[in-house]
Amino acid sequence: MRRLCVVLLMLCALPAWADGFDQLYKAAGWQQQRAHFNDALKAAQQRYSANLPPAVFQALVNNSNQRFAPQAVDQRAEQRLRESLKDPAPALQFFQSPLGRKIVEAELTATRADQLARHTQGLPVIGADATRQLLIGHLAQALPAKQAGAEVSLALAGVAADSLSQMIPGLLGGGQAQGMLEGQRERLMTQIEADLHNTLLYVYRDLSNPELEEFASFAESAEGRAYYQAALAAIRAGLAVGQSNSSLVQ
């Protein structure tokens, strides 16, 4: 679960949109984050290969590849983002600023495959003074990090549920598997929240206190809230949380 917190900042692995959305996509580093997610997914598949019967492993790979096919994820996420975010300009201006670029670089570094492998047992504990802890607390409240982490977990668990249903037909039918997963959202957010402050301290460790304050101010602003709420909605749609693989077949 702690590793998921590190990956939270890939939570907006969104498509290449036209116009201002396209510029926002590029400025915020979503293309690279999507590549990082794909790398992490492939690594997870390889770990399972040694522990699952071949038929079960193949079903898991097939289902995950279908659910997380880049083009399909892009189409679902793009549609939801355009429905949810009225104006990309404020977020674009922020992420094109020197601070925005520094934030994106910190997030991309945190989600690289080598960094995830390095911290499989959890992140180091980061010390911080009272001011920095307060600023991180503001970010933890403003960023939808725990919510996004829960959606990622539910999407990945949904692949496993679909694979189990395929191997044992009728065991979890009629959407029962996805319904069971939906009930785990609050529990997952609680687990992620326990490590969230330290995760944010680690990811943004190279930002100064004034930079953290400016970041928090954007995230807490009306424009920042609109952006992060839209990003969370797009992530949930892109990862098809709560949907079975069969429902995704066009």
Side-chain angles (χ1 to χ4, degrees):
M1 186 57 64
R2 285 178 291 184
R3 290 189 66 199
L4 280 176
C5 290
V6 183
V7 191
L8 292 178
L9 299 168
M10 53 172 78
L11 55 87
C12 298
L14 301 177
W17 312 294
D19 52 63
F21 291 95
D22 179 52
Q23 296 179 60
L24 176 58
Y25 162 72
K26 294 175 181 176
W30 303 146
Q31 186 174 27
Q32 297 95 317
Q33 293 289 21
R34 183 173 60 189
H36 291 180
F37 175 80
N38 289 341
D39 290 342
L41 181 62
K42 291 177 182 176
Q45 290 175 344
Q46 290 305 310
R47 288 195 299 272
Y48 283 126
S49 67
N51 300 308
L52 293 175
V56 176
F57 170 69
Q58 193 58 53
L60 184 66
V61 170
N62 291 344
N63 286 329
S64 62
N65 288 346
Q66 177 188 333
R67 179 180 292 268
F68 304 126
Q71 184 176 3
V73 171
D74 287 353
Q75 290 174 347
R76 294 190 297 262
E78 178 181 359
Q79 180 179 352
R80 184 59 55 83
L81 186 78
R82 287 187 175 278
E83 294 170 351
S84 303
L85 183 62
K86 295 181 179 179
D87 182 10
L92 175 60
Q93 182 178 3
F94 177 78
F95 286 113
Q96 286 182 330
S97 70
L99 174 58
R101 291 194 294 270
K102 188 172 182 179
I103 289 168
V104 170
E105 182 61 31
E107 295 169 355
L108 290 174
T109 298
T111 58
R112 289 201 322 251
D114 63 315
Q115 293 297 307
L116 298 181
R118 180 180 179 184
H119 299 298
T120 55
Q121 300 303 314
L123 296 172
V125 176
I126 306 297
D129 58 28
T131 298
R132 196 168 184 83
Q133 290 282 4
L134 179 62
L135 293 170
I136 287 294
H138 279 280
L139 274 178
Q141 289 295 318
L143 300 177
K146 65 181 181 180
Q147 295 91 334
E151 300 305 327
V152 172
S153 296
L154 289 171
L156 294 172
V159 173
D162 278 342
S163 302
L164 181 61
S165 296
Q166 288 179 8
M167 296 303 297
I168 311 177
L171 178 63
L172 295 172
Q176 182 182 358
Q178 297 299 328
M180 292 172 61
L181 294 174
E182 287 290 310
Q184 301 301 310
R185 183 172 280 107
E186 289 296 328
R187 179 183 63 81
L188 288 167
M189 287 195 293
T190 298
Q191 291 178 350
I192 292 170
E193 188 173 23
D195 288 327
L196 184 54
H197 281 221
N198 189 64
T199 297
L200 297 180
L201 281 169
Y202 177 80
V203 172
Y204 300 118
R205 61 192 181 281
D206 292 332
L207 271 65
S208 66
N209 282 2
E211 288 172 330
L212 284 177
E213 184 174 10
E214 185 177 347
F215 185 16
S217 294
F218 167 73
E220 292 175 330
S221 69
E223 296 81 3
R225 291 197 303 271
Y227 168 71
Y228 284 113
Q229 288 171 4
L232 180 61
I235 282 296
R236 191 168 196 271
L239 297 180
V241 178
Q243 299 182 52
S244 66
N245 272 37
S246 60
S247 71
L248 302 178
V249 178
Q250 301 297 325

